Amino acid sequence: MLVTVLGTIFSCTLFMRVIATNTLKEYWEKYPKTEQLLKAWLQEVELSDWQSPQSLKMKYRNASILSSKRVVFNINGNKYRLLVDIEFQLKIVFVVWFGSHFEYDLIDAKTITYVKTNKE
């Protein structure tokens, strides 16, 4: 992104922002073996600057692009699946769903929506 201030042009990079990180925490509590894997994914994504699904695929070749904004990431050698919606122009990644490969096969990844689970 280029910004002009008083005639000087500055360049800055906007990184991706992950929404629903508490949901990720709930998932790694449910699947303890995935905690470090999901934390590593989160850190990588927050340092990413994806412009489009194509730029995402350059980093994550095994990710499946389901639509212009819905993406499935394989976690732990495809034992788990992480489903997100990405607004590339806004640099927002929204965690929609996470589960085992078996559980993934039981959902419709193109239409499933995020369900907030308040434990209060």
Side-chain angles (χ1 to χ4, degrees), residues 106-119:
L106 300 176
I107 66 167
D108 183 346
K110 291 182 180 179
T111 61
I112 193 167
T113 57
Y114 173 78
V115 176
K116 185 173 182 177
T117 56
N118 254 348
K119 295 182 182 180

Side-chain angles (χ1 to χ4, degrees), residues 3-64:
V3 178
T4 304
V5 177
L6 298 173
T8 304
I9 298 175
F10 295 93
S11 175
C12 66
T13 302
L14 297 177
F15 295 106
M16 305 306 285
R17 190 175 75 154
V18 179
I19 305 295
T21 55
N22 283 336
T23 303
L24 280 180
K25 291 175 188 172
E26 290 174 16
Y27 290 142
W28 72 56
E29 288 171 0
K30 182 177 178 181
Y31 304 96
K33 292 180 181 180
T34 67
E35 180 175 358
Q36 292 308 314
L37 299 165
L38 289 172
K39 284 180 176 179
W41 176 87
L42 180 61
Q43 185 176 25
E44 286 182 20
V45 170
E46 289 178 332
L47 294 174
S48 296
D49 177 30
W50 300 321
Q51 305 295 319
S52 65
Q54 295 77 17
S55 62
L56 180 148
K57 285 289 278 185
M58 290 173 62
K59 170 77 175 165
Y60 291 98
R61 295 192 187 277
N62 290 329
S64 299

Side-chain angles (χ1 to χ4, degrees), residues 44-93:
E44 286 182 20
V45 170
E46 289 178 332
L47 294 174
S48 296
D49 177 30
W50 300 321
Q51 305 295 319
S52 65
Q54 295 77 17
S55 62
L56 180 148
K57 285 289 278 185
M58 290 173 62
K59 170 77 175 165
Y60 291 98
R61 295 192 187 277
N62 290 329
S64 299
I65 309 296
L66 302 182
S67 70
S68 62
K69 63 190 240 178
R70 182 142 297 184
V71 179
V72 180
F73 290 93
N74 298 318
I75 306 292
N76 195 21
N78 206 19
K79 290 181 183 175
Y80 299 93
R81 297 278 181 97
L82 175 61
L83 186 60
V84 301
D85 284 341
I86 303 176
E87 291 291 343
F88 290 96
Q89 289 184 331
L90 299 174
K91 304 287 185 200
I92 295 175
V93 178

